[in-house]
């Protein structure tokens, strides 16, 4: 069993985005998943990107936003929705609402997301 106390959960951030690294290669021996809790302020954007060798599942916990998909496509993504991205699927998020958007991300195999964020706490 692993127990991860909240005071050792690392937060990564960019302007308007905080990513809490709940389970990641730095705090867990899991070889199967990374789990993050992502908060986007109103108007914040996570640009489109891909993960070549990991799939990702997002569960929208709070708010309304838009998924940013391949070929400049967008799709509404609201609290209670779930989306799965296969390896290589382009994805991002635009919080085009006036309230915070929160989602949980599960990534397999694990990724250390430190490369994508400017600030690390």
């Amino acid at each position: 069993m692993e127990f991860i106390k909240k005071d050792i959960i690392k937060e990564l951030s960019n302007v308007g985005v905080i990513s809490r690294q709940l389970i990641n290669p730095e705090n867990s021996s899991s070889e199967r998943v990374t789990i993050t809790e992502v908060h986007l302020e109103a108007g914040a954007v996570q640009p489109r990107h891909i993960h070549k060798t990991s799939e990702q599942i997002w569960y929208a916990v709070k708010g309304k936003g838009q998924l940013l998909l391949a070929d400049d496509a967008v799709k509404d993504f609201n609290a209670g929705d779930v989306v799965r991205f296969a390896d290589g699927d382009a994805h991002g998020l635009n919080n085009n609402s006036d309230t915070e958007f929160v989602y949980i991300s599960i990534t397999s195999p694990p990724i250390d997301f430190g490369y994508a964020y400017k600030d690390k706490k």
Side-chain angles (χ1 to χ4, degrees):
M1 182 189 103
E2 290 180 338
F3 181 83
I4 300 160
K5 293 190 60 74
K6 65 182 178 181
D7 58 339
I8 67 162
I9 293 173
K10 182 190 283 189
E11 288 188 356
L12 305 174
S13 63
N14 286 326
V15 175
V17 180
I18 295 174
S19 180
R20 299 184 70 237
Q21 305 297 289
L22 305 179
I23 299 285
N24 69 45
E26 289 185 23
N27 69 8
S28 171
S29 61
S30 175
E31 296 178 0
R32 297 186 180 181
V33 297
T34 297
I35 302 175
T36 57
E37 176 187 276
V38 184
H39 297 249
L40 285 89
E41 295 175 0
V45 175
Q46 284 184 309
R48 284 177 181 86
H49 60 283
I50 64 167
H51 306 292
K52 290 183 181 181
T53 59
S54 289
E55 70 176 310
Q56 205 166 53
I57 297 167
W58 290 0
Y59 169 59
V61 176
K62 177 183 173 185
K64 297 179 181 182
Q66 285 186 323
L67 295 170
L68 305 176
L69 305 170
D71 302 319
D72 294 324
V74 297
K75 182 168 185 63
D76 289 342
F77 187 49
N78 302 317
D81 293 343
V82 176
V83 63
R84 177 188 166 270
F85 305 105
D87 301 16
D89 281 352
H91 60 284
L93 187 74
N94 176 20
N95 181 359
N96 59 343
S97 75
D98 59 359
T99 61
E100 180 184 49
F101 187 91
V102 179
Y103 69 92
I104 301 294
S105 172
I106 301 164
T107 307
S108 179
I111 294 176
D112 180 348
F113 290 104
Y115 74 91
Y117 290 87
K118 294 177 186 175
D119 298 318
K120 300 160 183 66
K121 296 179 191 175

